[in-house]
Amino acid sequence: MTLTRAKLVNLTPSASRLVKLAAACAVLAVLAACGSSKPSPASLESLGAPGVRLTTAWSQRIGSVEGQLNLAVGNGVVTTASTDGDIVSFDIASGKERWRAQAHADLSAIVGSDGRYAAVVTQANELLAFDQGKLLWRERLPGRVITAPLVAGERVFVQAVDRSVRAYDVLDGRWLWQYQRPGGEPLALATSGVITAFRDTLLVGQGARLVGLDPLKGTVRFDVNVGTPRGTNEVERLGDLVGPLARADDEACVRAFQLSVACMELNRGSLRWTRPQAGRQAVAATERMVVGSDGADRLSAWKAENGDLLWRVDRFTYRSLSAPAIWGNRVVVGDYDGYLHVLASDDGRTLARTELDSALVAAPVVVDQTLLVVTRKGTLYALRAN
């Protein structure tokens, strides 16, 4: 765990296994001493005949990825990028390349797209917008960005590490408005935050709060407190919402770092339920269930309607689980060794396991019957289950 000049707290995979221990340390020197002993990852269970068979419908190389990445899905295409600036869009059904572009710079925020327009942010804090691979414009941003931009309604929305949100016209790069909640926390978590759309409302994470904004003006429509972080120092009091937000019709569920999992009713802008769970990865949700892992990689499932526990499994402890996805009647999650685990959604038993070329760097995305995952080595897989 390190504190940067931008006042970010960065969790590496090894440090994240010791979230509770590290948060109790007050200074960086103590953090280094606390991190000298790491729990051993759980061994993989022996599997009999697989309960489901996974097949690769197609795969494509996009280039290696350092840090985090967003898989942007829209209009039948998936758009992604490599850290060194290759941006590419593929047809989801066939894997055929639709277009490719080059930012000619290393990227810090990868990638937002509505299926036609795409946006990325470079390490030099430049926002670039593309129309089917053609560069439209570039704009210098006032601060660092690590959360993928959102492209929606012919606008580009960008959230900086200081939690400020800026809106631009996607056609000409014209700056439209900026929002920043007053009295924000002094530290921010160095991970992808929450910025997404619900109907005609822009949803953004502001510390441990979910704020609904008017996308035309940047004015506040609602402000939901997911939880109140408590601790003796700034690190312990971090409670940023971790993206991506999990949508299920008119409800959304989200992780507040090292604090809780919560579900909200978006039409009213109200909290439905919250359950304590000190984790660092995003959650997955459907109308029936919510799934997420804690800091020790114990995977839990709750009823979406009321937060009652459905099941919990601890056979993946300290395997640095990715964000999960709910794929029909299955739950899928990756680990640090590059294994993708497939579990039954009703009781959490393991149905299958497949090995990818490296660990996942983005939350898995389900489109119809296809599961999209991308690995650190830069391979985008489209998987199907038989």
Side-chain angles (χ1 to χ4, degrees):
M1 181 182 291
T2 59
L3 299 182
T4 73
R5 292 181 181 178
K7 289 192 175 181
L8 296 177
V9 173
N10 180 34
L11 290 181
T12 63
S14 59
S16 65
R17 298 176 187 170
L18 300 172
V19 166
K20 291 183 179 179
L21 181 59
C25 301
V27 295
L28 295 182
V30 180
L31 286 175
C34 289
S36 59
S37 178
K38 301 176 184 178
S40 298
S43 300
L44 293 176
E45 61 184 316
S46 298
L47 295 180
V52 63
R53 185 168 62 89
L54 298 182
T55 58
T56 301
W58 54 265
S59 65
Q60 293 280 7
R61 289 280 296 169
I62 60 171
S64 62
V65 178
E66 297 295 331
Q68 297 173 321
L69 175 145
N70 177 61
L71 285 173
V73 172
N75 294 329
V77 300
V78 55
T79 305
T80 188
S82 62
T83 302
D84 62 3
D86 268 323
I87 308 158
V88 62
S89 185
F90 299 102
D91 181 87
I92 294 175
S94 66
K96 181 180 178 181
E97 185 177 308
R98 290 285 189 90
W99 56 261
R100 182 180 292 266
Q102 173 55 243
H104 302 292
D106 288 345
L107 304 179
S108 66
I110 315 170
V111 56
S113 178
D114 62 358
R116 174 180 175 177
Y117 300 107
V120 296
V121 180
T122 71
Q123 294 281 2
N125 300 333
E126 278 196 315
L127 172 63
L128 277 63
F130 299 84
D131 182 355
Q132 300 184 80
K134 178 184 178 181
L135 179 65
L136 292 175
W137 49 266
R138 63 176 67 224
E139 179 71 20
R140 175 75 63 177
L141 297 173
R144 185 182 173 199
V145 175
I146 57 176
T147 299
L150 172 70
V151 181
E154 294 192 345
R155 286 173 171 79
V156 181
F157 303 98
V158 181
Q159 185 176 52
V161 297
D162 65 358
R163 303 184 182 90
S164 62
V165 180
R166 297 172 68 90
Y168 296 86
D169 189 302
V170 76
L171 298 178
D172 58 15
R174 178 167 49 95
W175 175 71
L176 302 174
W177 53 259
Q178 175 170 316
Y179 167 81
Q180 188 161 27
R181 190 175 183 274
E185 296 81 355
L187 293 183
L189 192 65
T191 191
S192 293
V194 169
I195 182 165
T196 190
F198 168 68
R199 296 182 180 173
D200 64 344
T201 298
L202 177 68
L203 304 176
V204 297
Q206 296 286 297
R209 309 181 77 91
L210 182 70
V211 177
L213 300 177
D214 182 330
L216 301 180
K217 304 174 183 178
T219 53
V220 177
R221 289 178 171 170
F222 62 78
D223 185 332
V224 183
N225 185 18
V226 172
T228 303
R230 294 179 174 86
T232 59
N233 58 65
E234 292 176 345
V235 176
E236 288 182 334
R237 290 191 293 270
L238 274 173
D240 286 271
L241 302 187
V242 179
L245 188 79
R247 280 280 312 281
D249 288 337
D250 293 344
E251 295 190 355
C253 300
V254 69
R255 154 95 54 214
F257 169 71
Q258 70 180 358
L259 182 62
S260 61
V261 171
C263 288
M264 289 149 284
E265 210 288 315
L266 294 176
N267 286 317
R268 294 192 298 268
S270 60
L271 186 65
R272 187 164 187 179
W273 57 261
T274 181
R275 294 291 179 269
Q277 191 192 56
R280 63 183 180 87
Q281 294 285 6
V283 299
T286 64
E287 298 86 349
R288 189 178 71 85
M289 67 185 300
V290 182
V291 181
S293 61
D294 64 15
D297 296 309
R298 291 179 290 260
L299 197 65
S300 299
W302 302 269
K303 288 184 180 179
E305 59 179 339
N306 56 20
D308 287 350
L309 185 68
L310 290 171
W311 48 261
R312 177 176 291 128
V313 297
D314 59 5
R315 57 182 178 272
F316 305 113
T317 53
Y318 304 111
R319 294 195 64 85
S320 294
L321 295 182
S322 71
I326 301 173
W327 188 17
N329 60 357
R330 301 169 292 268
V331 173
V332 293
V333 65
D335 71 14
Y336 74 102
D337 265 340
Y339 287 104
L340 188 70
H341 306 272
V342 184
L343 285 64
S345 62
D346 56 354
D347 59 8
R349 70 187 186 280
T350 301
L351 299 175
R353 181 171 64 232
T354 189
E355 188 174 7
L356 307 176
D357 63 11
S358 54
L360 301 188
V361 289
V365 175
V366 176
V367 183
D368 296 327
Q369 301 301 312
T370 301
L371 179 74
L372 299 171
V373 297
V374 62
T375 66
R376 187 162 303 283
K377 289 186 177 180
T379 304
L380 173 63
Y381 294 89
L383 303 173
R384 293 182 184 139
N386 299 322

